[in-house]
Amino acid sequence: RKEVEQDPGPFNVPEGATVAFNCTYSNSASQSFFWYRQDCRKEPKLLMSVYSSGNEDGRFTAQLNRASQYISLLIRDSKLSDSATYLCVVPNTGFQKLVFGTGTRLLVSP
Amino acid sequence: DGGITQSPKYLFRKEGQNVTLSCEQNLNHDAMYWYRQDPGQGLRLIYYSQIVNDFQKGDIAEGYSVSREKKESFPLTVTSAQKNPTAFYLCASSIGAAPQHFGDGTRLSIL
């Protein structure tokens, strides 16, 4: 299994739809997980951190399944402005090294 | 406002030339990082530094060099030994295990 693996998409959804992305990871010792959003030709920006079973922030919910070693990101009521690439990030054990997934691209259409 | 500043935004390298990318932060973060991103790929770690005057190689350090003489600054030199330097270079910083904050990147191309 790759250290971090994501479905590249793209996920094409209409405005208002609910969409979910999954991310699998190989390091069972990881204790914290992150979702970043990256717009085209821009830097990644932190969207959510996940330290226990999950986290919710408005329309965004992140859930962690340690037994199956995956984290998911759920976006409700999709907006046009949600169109971006979503990066799953998992720290390695030991030093401050983060492993970035290749990202899942989301396209929200009117 | 605190943040990370990368310069230049665009850079062109001639064959055989070394070029240096600047990264400055005023967040008082101890750790700083350099990543490279190629189209359709995830970020790959080049070098990282957890304290001043100390740095470690990441996954793809060959052809790159760094220095960390000041807490605020972590410049990256792309040497002539890096045969495929065209990429988007991102600098980041963090406090310990906290998530990393990114600069807005430098796009490097070969002339």
Side-chain angles (χ1 to χ4, degrees):
Chain A
R1 175 184 270 186
K2 287 185 178 179
E3 287 186 287
V4 181
E5 197 156 11
Q6 296 183 252
D7 182 340
F11 283 60
N12 290 285
V13 302
E15 267 187 296
T18 295
V19 62
F21 315 133
N22 278 345
C23 167
T24 58
Y25 61 93
S26 62
N27 185 0
S28 59
S30 293
Q31 295 295 313
S32 52
F33 308 84
F34 309 98
W35 283 100
Y36 279 75
R37 171 198 169 120
Q38 186 174 25
D39 292 292
C40 189
R41 300 179 68 82
K42 298 287 188 181
E43 76 277 18
K45 293 184 179 177
L46 180 65
L47 180 66
M48 297 189 75
S49 304
V50 185
Y51 296 106
S52 56
S53 60
N55 192 9
E56 184 172 331
D57 183 4
R59 297 183 295 109
F60 298 84
T61 300
Q63 290 187 317
L64 169 64
N65 185 318
R66 290 190 187 276
S68 301
Q69 291 182 218
Y70 75 83
I71 55 176
S72 62
L73 179 67
L74 179 77
I75 305 175
R76 290 181 296 275
D77 189 22
S78 299
K79 312 291 184 190
L80 294 175
S81 57
D82 293 335
S83 296
T85 296
Y86 291 84
L87 306 175
C88 172
V89 184
V90 180
N92 261 12
T93 54
F95 301 104
Q96 316 298 329
K97 179 181 172 181
L98 298 182
V99 181
F100 286 78
T102 54
T104 297
R105 192 171 171 210
L106 171 65
L107 299 172
V108 182
S109 54
Chain B
D1 287 340
I4 301 175
T5 302
Q6 288 187 241
S7 63
K9 197 172 181 68
Y10 299 95
L11 186 59
F12 297 91
R13 194 192 86 170
K14 294 180 182 178
E15 199 162 335
Q17 184 183 41
N18 293 351
V19 292
T20 297
L21 284 59
S22 170
C23 178
E24 304 277 333
Q25 55 102 356
N26 59 4
L27 298 165
N28 201 32
H29 286 174
D30 290 312
M32 296 187 74
Y33 311 79
W34 274 105
Y35 292 91
R36 167 182 173 142
Q37 187 176 34
D38 294 279
Q41 296 193 32
L43 277 67
R44 292 184 290 169
L45 183 63
I46 304 173
Y47 268 99
Y48 64 101
S49 167
Q50 294 178 292
I51 56 172
V52 176
N53 292 321
D54 187 50
F55 50 83
Q56 286 80 38
K57 293 182 179 180
D59 300 315
I60 54 165
E62 187 174 348
Y64 300 97
S65 66
V66 294
S67 63
R68 186 85 187 276
E69 297 176 1
K70 297 186 299 181
K71 188 176 185 177
E72 302 80 18
S73 178
F74 192 39
L76 173 74
T77 296
V78 183
T79 74
S80 58
Q82 173 48 247
K83 298 305 180 187
N84 184 24
T86 297
F88 186 37
Y89 289 87
L90 288 158
C91 178
S93 69
S94 70
I95 299 174
Q100 297 170 6
H101 302 266
F102 288 86
D104 56 7
T106 294
R107 292 194 180 275
L108 176 62
S109 302
I110 297 179
L111 278 178

